[in-house]
Amino acid sequence: MRLILSLIFSLICLSTLAETSLWKVSNGDKHIYLGGTFHMLAESDYPLPAEFEDTYQKVNWLVFETDISALESAEFQQQFQQAFLLPAGETLKTALSDTAFQQLSDYCQQNQIDLRPFMPFKPQFISLIIVVQELQKYGLTAEGVDNYFYNKAKADNKLTTQLESPNQQLHFLANMADGNEDNLIQQTLADAKELESMMDGMRKAWRDGDDKTMDILGIKPMQQDYPKIYQSLLVERNNNWMPRIETLLTHQEPKLVLVGALHLAGQDGLLAQLKNKGYRVAQVP
């Protein structure tokens, strides 16, 4: 699993859920439900697994990675574009080597993408656009589950909170791979050619709730090839979230916490950290 797919699986706020990627975390007689999310849905993924719908009915408090309503605001959309703008006098062409820019141009021409509107933006922006469009080619076009449950919770007057601000997520996206823009673009284009087979392996592991395979496919390659991004994308964010999750575990009222599936797996994942701190962690059947 390459870098950009790991980023998409873990970060963009379009999500879906696996049949068994749901854990009950207990602290004495108090508990939360921790669900792993996958980032874009096909129509065939609906209806959602009964385990998640059943758990939703048991709670009146849902916790998301970030504030979904803020992500949809016009103000945030403007901030999003501003964060990806290059400094004055620079363009996408000047931000990349001649070789990387030509490869990007060839890809865009072959896929009927007009590159001109993206010229003022960082390579990180077009990289994200390419991956999302490639995922859409394979039918991943339906509403993500974070949005699904957020809208459902609002309609049912349930409490919704978040683990981090939209600006924290935006900062990472806009600055990922700074200094390695050529590699980011070239890896994105390479991933696009292998996307379908990569997706099959990741989705199976996710649907099976197989955090060990998620570790092998999604985390270990990132640790080896992009250790700095692994630290900022997963480790730092997991560490930031842990005190908030532990605070939730002091409340009597149960909650459903939804985060990207890669945040659960691996030695630095939330599941391992919670187990190491003595909490009981059991997969929901």
Side-chain angles (χ1 to χ4, degrees), residues 242 266-279 281:
M242 274 296 295
Q267 62 184 13
D268 299 306
L270 295 175
L271 294 177
Q273 291 199 43
L274 288 163
K275 289 176 184 177
N276 290 339
K277 286 179 172 285
Y279 298 104
V281 179

Side-chain angles (χ1 to χ4, degrees), residues 56 67 69 149-160:
Y56 172 82
D67 185 346
S69 63
F149 274 124
Y150 178 81
N151 292 330
K152 193 176 179 69
K154 286 299 182 183
D156 293 337
N157 293 316
K158 296 191 178 188
L159 178 64
T160 62

